[in-house]
Amino acid sequence: MASNSHPHPWSPLQAPKHLAKKLSLDPKTLSLASSDFGHINYETPLAVFEPTSETDIIDLIKYSNSLPKPFTIAPRGQGHSTHGQGLTHDGVVLNMNRLSDSRNGSEIVVYDEYVDVGAEQLWIDVLGATLKHGLTPLSWTDYMYLSVGGTLSNAGINGTAFRFGPQISNVLELHVVTGKGDLVKCSHVSNSELFYGVLGGLGQFGVITRARIALEPAPTRVKWLRLLYTDFSEFTKDQEHLISFHEKHDTSGADHVAGYILANLPPPRDVSFYSEHDLPKITSLITQYGIVYSLELGKFYDNDSQSHVEEELANLIKGLKFIPTFLFEKDLSYQEFQNRLQVDIEFLKSKGLLDIPHPWMDLFIPRSRINDFNEGVLKDIILKQNVPVASIIFYPMNSNKWDDRMSAVTPNEDVFYALGLFRGCFDKKELEASEAQNWQILQFCKDTGIDVKVYLASYKTQLEWVEHYGSKWELIKERKDEFDPKRLLSPGQKIFN
Ligand SMILES: Cc1cc2nc3c(=O)[nH]c(=O)nc-3n(C[C@H](O)[C@H](O)[C@H](O)COP(=O)(O)OP(=O)(O)OC[C@H]3O[C@@H](n4cnc5c(N)ncnc54)[C@H](O)[C@@H]3O)c2cc1C
């Protein structure tokens, strides 16, 4: 009786033979699985599970469910979370990457209208495979070396989301192993509650093992522009104008709309786009105004439409209120454009700046309050404090491209903005100052009633998650009870554990 109510914690040494041989206790493997891109949170798992089939994942989850004191299971894609969302201290990290060893050529299979991919695959490889057939997924992240399962567990956004929605809006079907160990094929019409649950579901309801992603014919080239503003309301008015084109079913609009905030803060940021020749005048504009807004626009085209693209582009930017002498343009292949962040990542890697703490924060801000946000956060907090920010992203999206039946949450307005604060810290003092500033921003929004939603959130208490989900909380709880009643999956999100 007593031993049932207080069962001993599980040890990997107790696992049945067929699972034990795939549970690694190697110190180096455990150490790699004990942190993430953020380098802020550290938790050592009891073991790392190396599945070579979906059946292995089913067996592991069923085994844990069968124990009097089940262990937690944390699927890990590329480990690119920033605050330990993929970690566990009382369970097993599920190394999704090992699955690809067993795929035998079925890792990425391209059809006319969709691609079937293993959830452990990287988006860069999905792009490479589909382009061979002249096809492409529609919605992207800026960084392409993320796993399909990892981004679909969040949302997957960049400057294409205004038009095609986040990556979760472009999924046709999923294979999921639930927290009970059932392998379920699900879609909008079949087992839809699980389908909507896992999309944006932060790994809470099941392990995504396979995804079917919608494809369209791929363009071959991209006109990539940056237009600079010193006036926030002109900048946002123009961004919103550009994202409204497709709402009116007008295909002559932009295909990619994003934006950056350039400010006089250490270290120098987001300047790799610009040539050596242009940099001095941009720097002096930033020095003069303190803050400069950069609108990023991408217009896709192919060889057939080459003759029209210049004219379409000219029409598109006619009437925009950027500073006329601060328009910068590049022309590159579609593949280079989608992989454009890699140049910056390689640079950071070469300087050893990828292995330092990254207290990033991503927010969704309701459109109606962006002026208050600009004054209260961008100018009064970020600009006035000397806390390092490597890059600040700021761009709008259309809510109607998101599906509210999915688990992701967004502000309750037709248009909302994404803010990304990307930081790297060299010492404890910088890390503390950055985390304090992140907290101050959230507190400012709370105090002034700006109903922001944190993207890629890292709350520490369930109460904060209840607030985050708002009216969706009951649904999230019901989904957890149905698909992972023993609360095994993705404990690092700290929603139910
Ligand atoms: C350099 C960089 C650039 C980024 N750029 C963007 C961007 O442009 N747009 C954007 O939207 N995001 C971006 N992100 C954030 C990124 O989408 C998330 O961190 C995402 O989780 C990364 O995928 P991953 O494979 O590393 O996931 P992991 O960190 O390994 O996992 C994230 C969460 O999902 C769970 N999980 C992982 N795989 C599965 C699965 N198969 N089934 C169920 N649950 C699973 C994990 O348990 C964990 O809770 C960026 C991150 C970095 C570090």
Side-chain angles (χ1 to χ4, degrees):
M1 204 43 196
S3 68
N4 269 353
S5 52
H6 299 287
H8 290 299
W10 172 76
S11 154
L13 302 174
Q14 297 162 1
K17 246 190 198 155
H18 71 291
L19 293 176
K21 63 182 183 198
K22 295 185 176 172
L23 282 166
S24 172
L25 303 177
D26 164 49
K28 201 166 156 212
T29 309
L30 293 183
S31 162
L32 284 172
S34 68
S35 188
D36 55 21
F37 182 84
H39 292 287
I40 296 167
N41 298 59
Y42 291 85
E43 290 186 18
T44 308
L46 302 178
V48 174
F49 189 63
E50 312 276 7
T52 51
S53 67
E54 283 173 344
T55 310
D56 285 344
I57 298 177
I58 295 168
D59 288 350
L60 180 80
I61 295 180
K62 287 208 161 150
Y63 168 58
S64 180
N65 269 292
S66 74
L67 297 171
K69 188 168 170 35
F71 55 87
T72 56
I73 297 170
R76 181 180 177 98
Q78 287 300 300
H80 272 47
S81 300
T82 55
H83 287 83
Q85 289 93 330
L87 307 183
T88 173
H89 67 276
D90 60 358
V92 168
V93 164
L94 175 55
N95 178 10
M96 295 300 292
N97 292 300
R98 283 307 296 275
L99 272 183
S100 65
D101 297 353
S102 65
R103 298 281 190 198
N104 294 326
S106 69
E107 299 88 340
I108 304 177
V109 187
V110 183
Y111 298 91
D112 287 348
E113 292 176 355
Y114 53 80
V115 56
D116 282 341
V117 300
E120 74 287 355
Q121 297 297 313
L122 304 185
W123 285 102
I124 186 74
D125 297 326
V126 178
L127 177 68
T130 57
L131 281 182
K132 284 187 190 147
H133 299 261
L135 298 167
T136 179
L138 306 171
S139 175
W140 293 103
T141 50
D142 283 338
Y143 187 49
M144 300 287 281
Y145 293 77
L146 303 169
S147 81
V148 169
T151 70
L152 295 185
S153 297
N154 288 296
I157 55 164
N158 80 353
T160 48
F162 82 91
R163 183 167 172 199
F164 300 109
Q167 290 180 319
I168 51 174
S169 294
N170 292 274
V171 180
L172 304 175
E173 187 184 275
L174 294 171
H175 290 197
V176 176
V177 182
T178 69
K180 292 194 281 196
D182 302 323
L183 175 62
V184 181
K185 204 195 265 191
C186 56
S187 68
H188 286 281
V189 291
S190 157
N191 297 307
S192 57
E193 196 54 35
L194 180 62
F195 181 74
Y196 296 132
V198 295
L199 290 171
L202 307 177
Q204 293 305 302
F205 313 111
V207 180
I208 303 170
T209 58
R210 226 172 153 72
R212 174 167 289 180
I213 316 282
L215 296 178
E216 289 230 330
T220 50
R221 297 204 65 80
V222 180
K223 294 278 182 197
W224 182 19
L225 272 63
R226 292 223 177 139
L227 318 169
L228 301 195
Y229 296 71
T230 50
D231 184 308
F232 181 73
S233 58
E234 302 283 21
F235 164 66
T236 51
K237 221 185 318 164
D238 283 354
Q239 281 187 320
E240 286 177 33
H241 166 69
L242 290 170
I243 71 158
S244 71
F245 265 72
H246 297 280
E247 293 307 285
K248 299 174 216 147
H249 304 287
D250 184 343
T251 52
S252 64
D255 299 292
H256 172 107
V257 176
Y260 302 88
I261 314 267
L262 309 178
N264 247 340
L265 289 166
R269 74 207 37 76
D270 186 46
V271 288
S272 68
F273 172 90
Y274 308 100
S275 71
E276 289 290 321
H277 172 259
D278 294 327
L279 269 179
K281 77 172 191 177
I282 294 167
T283 309
S284 90
L285 189 74
I286 298 171
T287 310
Q288 190 184 347
Y289 287 88
I291 188 162
V292 168
Y293 309 96
S294 162
L295 189 157
E296 178 173 75
L297 185 159
K299 178 83 188 147
F300 302 163
Y301 70 103
D302 48 40
N303 299 338
D304 297 341
S305 57
Q306 196 157 12
S307 53
H308 307 297
V309 71
E310 293 291 353
E311 195 185 327
E312 276 189 3
L313 206 51
N315 283 335
L316 203 54
I317 62 173
K318 196 166 65 189
L320 299 187
K321 299 282 178 19
F322 57 94
I323 313 166
T325 47
F326 283 85
L327 180 158
F328 306 94
E329 182 177 337
K330 284 185 179 180
D331 186 308
L332 65 180
S333 78
Y334 178 71
Q335 195 162 16
E336 283 168 334
F337 177 76
Q338 297 300 1
N339 198 21
R340 64 199 177 282
L341 197 63
Q342 193 55 14
V343 179
D344 296 321
I345 296 286
E346 288 301 332
F347 172 77
L348 294 175
K349 209 186 270 175
S350 72
K351 300 271 172 210
L353 297 180
L354 284 190
D355 298 328
I356 58 174
H358 297 105
W360 290 7
M361 185 165 78
D362 291 83
L363 294 181
F364 293 157
I365 305 138
R367 188 206 154 274
S368 63
R369 301 298 303 277
I370 50 162
N371 288 327
D372 300 328
F373 191 86
N374 180 40
E375 293 300 326
V377 174
L378 298 177
K379 287 186 175 171
D380 274 358
I381 298 178
I382 295 177
L383 216 60
K384 284 194 182 154
Q385 300 173 358
N386 211 27
V387 178
V389 186
S391 179
I392 309 174
I393 286 183
F394 194 75
Y395 59 84
M397 285 176 273
N398 294 307
S399 286
N400 62 3
K401 303 290 177 188
W402 293 63
D403 188 331
D404 200 36
R405 293 169 292 186
M406 294 175 185
S407 295
V409 284
T410 59
N412 190 16
E413 287 194 11
D414 291 349
V415 170
F416 62 90
Y417 279 71
L419 169 90
L421 285 179
F422 303 129
R423 313 167 184 273
C425 301
F426 291 101
D427 55 39
K428 198 163 166 239
K429 210 169 127 212
E430 277 189 4
L431 175 59
E432 282 170 2
S434 301
E435 297 277 42
Q437 189 178 76
N438 289 345
W439 183 86
Q440 194 186 350
I441 291 168
L442 289 179
Q443 196 57 39
F444 171 84
C445 292
K446 212 174 204 179
D447 293 346
T448 52
I450 305 179
D451 195 8
V452 294
K453 292 291 175 196
V454 182
Y455 178 52
L456 309 167
S458 62
Y459 294 121
K460 291 188 178 65
T461 66
Q462 191 172 71
L463 198 62
E464 290 168 301
W465 282 109
V466 173
E467 265 180 43
H468 170 81
Y469 281 114
S471 58
K472 240 185 199 173
W473 172 247
E474 284 305 317
L475 177 67
I476 297 294
K477 214 155 49 96
E478 280 165 27
R479 285 176 173 167
K480 191 70 173 174
D481 288 340
E482 184 174 353
F483 299 117
D484 182 23
K486 296 204 174 169
R487 275 96 172 111
L488 304 188
L489 297 178
S490 292
Q493 300 281 2
K494 299 190 169 55
I495 304 176
F496 293 99
N497 305 72

